[in-house]
Amino acid sequence: MSYPGYPPTGYPPFPGYPPAGQESSFPPPGQYPYPSGFPPMGGGAYPPATSTGYPGAGGYPVPGGYPSPGSYPGAPQPGGAPSYPGVPPGQGFGAPPGGASFSGYPQPPSQSYGSGPAQIPIPGGFPGGQMPSQYPGGQIPYPNQPAAMTQGTQGTIRPAANFDALKDAEILRKAMKGFGTDEQAIIDVVANRSNDQRQKIKAAFKTMYGKDLIHDLKSELSGNMEELILALFMPSTYYDAWSLRNAMKGAGTQERVLIEILCSRTNQEIREIVRCYQSEFGRDLEKDIRSDTSGHFERLLVSMCQGNRDESQNVNHQMAQEDAQRLYQAGEGRLGTDESSFNMILATRSFPQLKATMEAYSRMANRDLFSSVSREFSGYVESGLKAILQCSLNRPAFFAERLYYSMKGAGTDDSTLVRIVVTRSEIDLIQIKQMFNQMYQKTLGTMIASDTSGDYRRLLMAIVGQ
């Protein structure tokens, strides 16, 4: 089955902006998840271990192999809680003005906009008040989102009540002491503590036993379980910076990692990542990007790592109309492509503003912006531009898709699976799970259970809340 004007895969583009007025059919929910636009998932592994007891990176391991307590920005300080900046729980994308909704695509739960039950937009929100005819019978390609949502944070991991770092450190010490390892005891602690609390446990362990917790865990664990545990004990921004460094060191570049992190993080997160990258690895992130990428993809990533996107929640509809016209003239409306116009608009406009621009583009061009990006671009710059558009519509759905393709088919991209589960566990993993279920008609836990095994599976399942 194919769709007029769409890529040769025959799949419609990213949902939400099909042209109105075409009589065609759409496969029933779950039959075809929307295409990722990312290159096939590869492997990707942690750097080799060094004598310091922490993953090395060809000359950039931090002293001692891991940020020592108190030395990393925001690390636990004596008598105080970690101060490292993070994303406020439940921070969302901001509401479209005047109660407008982006039609046909599942929206983030309404906690991101305020209070009240979350709803899938009704067809009337589509330009012209009609459901896109691309879906037979006006059918939305995803099931309805649950009306009731857990209030407050949308992470599956929350700070433990009555937290005692000394007690947890003792539990971990007993779990690793003597012959064999009590993996379940480790899982019970690690999966039920926030990242800040894990940093305190790490500091308490060294204070109590004069030993490095990470070194002991590495000696007791191996493979994917080791990778997952180490990721959980890294300060969150250090983990992002480390992932970017690992993606660019040595031969080859893991472009999909650069796209995932730089195109989805907030300004504050990106600026902290850039500072951490410099302080911990002694390297300039922008220079590394320039040396490892090229062309329009390089320019897009350099724009992203500035952390200067407009984050206002107000939408200027006149600007949206002008931007839509400019994008059309830069692509569909001319021979060749003015890539700089796409880069400028997608790199600087706020996510709510980009939503309005995409709506205006669909009305004006009778084609959704995703389809136009597919026609005008290719390779990693296409993937990066689509990632920005996806995050502007529904960031949890973007990560749900990444998780799906990390496990789909033969083999598992464990590094992507670990990275997303860990980095989103305190931000929006609940929303990601709900989007995953709507988009693929199976739960995230079910797919993880079928693709992993042993203690690695048990820890992943504990984190995702299955």
Side-chain angles (χ1 to χ4, degrees):
M1 179 184 298
S2 63
Y3 298 82
Y6 290 141
T9 58
Y11 293 95
F14 191 77
Y17 272 118
Q22 295 183 17
E23 293 297 330
S24 56
S25 61
F26 191 80
Q31 185 172 349
Y32 296 130
Y34 56 83
S36 167
F38 286 94
M41 296 295 183
Y46 268 54
T50 67
S51 59
T52 61
Y54 195 72
Y60 72 85
V62 293
Y66 195 76
S68 57
S71 67
Y72 185 73
Q77 305 296 325
S83 59
Y84 202 84
V87 181
Q91 178 174 337
F93 313 95
S101 62
F102 180 74
S103 304
Y105 192 77
Q107 296 291 317
S110 61
Q111 281 78 350
S112 299
Y113 302 155
S115 59
Q119 299 288 339
I120 286 290
I122 58 173
F126 196 81
Q130 64 183 34
M131 172 56 68
S133 58
Q134 194 149 349
Y135 310 135
Q139 181 182 12
I140 295 178
Y142 306 129
N144 285 331
Q145 187 168 314
M149 294 284 293
T150 304
Q151 297 294 324
T153 179
Q154 292 298 301
T156 56
I157 293 182
R158 305 183 186 188
N162 304 316
F163 170 66
D164 186 337
L166 299 178
K167 181 179 178 181
D168 285 346
E170 185 177 3
I171 293 172
L172 293 178
R173 172 66 175 153
K174 289 180 179 178
M176 295 183 286
K177 190 176 180 181
F179 182 76
T181 305
D182 185 354
E183 286 87 355
Q184 188 60 51
I186 296 175
I187 291 172
D188 289 342
V189 170
V190 173
N192 293 287
R193 304 293 184 270
S194 68
N195 188 278
D196 286 346
Q197 290 175 335
R198 290 186 213 112
Q199 306 313 312
K200 291 182 178 180
I201 294 170
K202 200 165 54 179
F205 192 93
K206 183 169 286 190
T207 300
M208 295 169 67
Y209 304 111
K211 301 179 67 178
D212 185 74
L213 174 59
I214 302 304
H215 182 274
D216 281 11
L217 287 169
K218 280 179 62 64
S219 67
E220 298 289 331
L221 304 170
S222 62
N224 293 324
M225 179 65 169
E226 176 187 347
E227 180 173 347
L228 178 53
I229 287 285
L230 294 180
L232 287 165
F233 273 101
M234 290 187 198
S236 55
T237 300
Y238 177 88
Y239 183 37
D240 274 347
W242 180 89
S243 297
L244 291 171
R245 178 68 191 122
N246 187 42
M248 291 184 284
K249 73 177 186 65
T253 304
Q254 299 177 47
E255 290 88 352
R256 57 189 171 75
V257 178
L258 307 182
I259 291 170
E260 176 195 307
I261 294 176
L262 293 175
C263 294
S264 69
R265 302 304 194 250
T266 65
N267 287 346
Q268 181 181 356
E269 289 173 317
I270 289 175
R271 291 169 186 170
E272 292 299 328
I273 289 168
V274 170
R275 281 195 285 267
C276 174
Y277 196 93
Q278 177 68 53
S279 63
E280 298 301 325
F281 308 133
R283 304 180 67 94
D284 184 272
L285 177 58
E286 181 179 328
K287 287 183 179 177
D288 280 359
I289 288 173
R290 290 186 183 279
S291 66
D292 270 60
T293 60
S294 62
H296 299 294
F297 181 54
E298 171 197 332
R299 295 169 199 168
L300 180 64
L301 292 184
V302 168
S303 294
M304 292 297 99
C305 75
Q306 304 309 305
N308 284 328
R309 180 182 298 281
D310 176 21
E311 291 187 332
S312 168
Q313 300 305 301
N314 298 321
V315 173
N316 183 327
H317 290 281
Q318 178 63 33
M319 179 190 290
Q321 187 66 36
E322 293 171 358
D323 284 350
Q325 183 68 35
R326 184 168 180 175
L327 290 173
Y328 183 80
Q329 293 299 331
E332 297 281 359
R334 60 174 287 172
L335 184 63
T337 306
D338 176 10
E339 293 87 357
S340 62
S341 292
F342 279 85
N343 192 99
M344 184 277 289
I345 292 172
L346 270 64
T348 62
R349 303 296 190 246
S350 69
F351 284 163
Q353 185 69 35
L354 284 176
K355 283 186 187 180
T357 299
M358 295 168 74
E359 288 183 344
Y361 189 95
S362 180
R363 289 192 298 268
M364 178 192 66
N366 196 32
R367 181 191 301 280
D368 68 274
L369 188 52
F370 281 95
S371 177
S372 292
V373 168
S374 294
R375 291 161 63 92
E376 299 295 325
F377 295 88
S378 62
Y380 291 112
V381 66
E382 175 192 353
S383 299
L385 293 171
K386 284 184 175 179
I388 295 170
L389 296 176
Q390 288 170 324
C391 287
S392 73
L393 298 179
N394 190 325
R395 191 160 11 198
F398 166 73
F399 286 112
E401 185 199 30
R402 293 281 285 147
L403 285 170
Y404 178 80
Y405 282 100
S406 75
M407 295 179 281
K408 183 178 182 293
T412 303
D413 181 0
D414 292 290
S415 290
T416 294
L417 175 58
V418 166
R419 187 174 57 254
I420 295 178
V421 167
V422 170
T423 57
R424 311 312 293 184
S425 61
E426 295 182 52
I427 301 174
D428 55 3
L429 191 52
I430 290 176
Q431 295 166 295
I432 291 169
K433 287 166 57 180
Q434 292 174 337
M435 291 298 102
F436 193 98
N437 191 35
Q438 292 175 29
M439 292 156 64
Y440 304 111
Q441 285 70 56
K442 64 174 70 177
T443 67
L444 176 59
T446 298
M447 199 161 184
I448 288 176
S450 65
D451 266 58
T452 59
S453 61
D455 296 316
Y456 175 52
R457 173 169 60 189
R458 287 158 61 193
L459 180 52
L460 280 173
M461 299 290 277
I463 297 171
V464 302
Q466 295 296 127

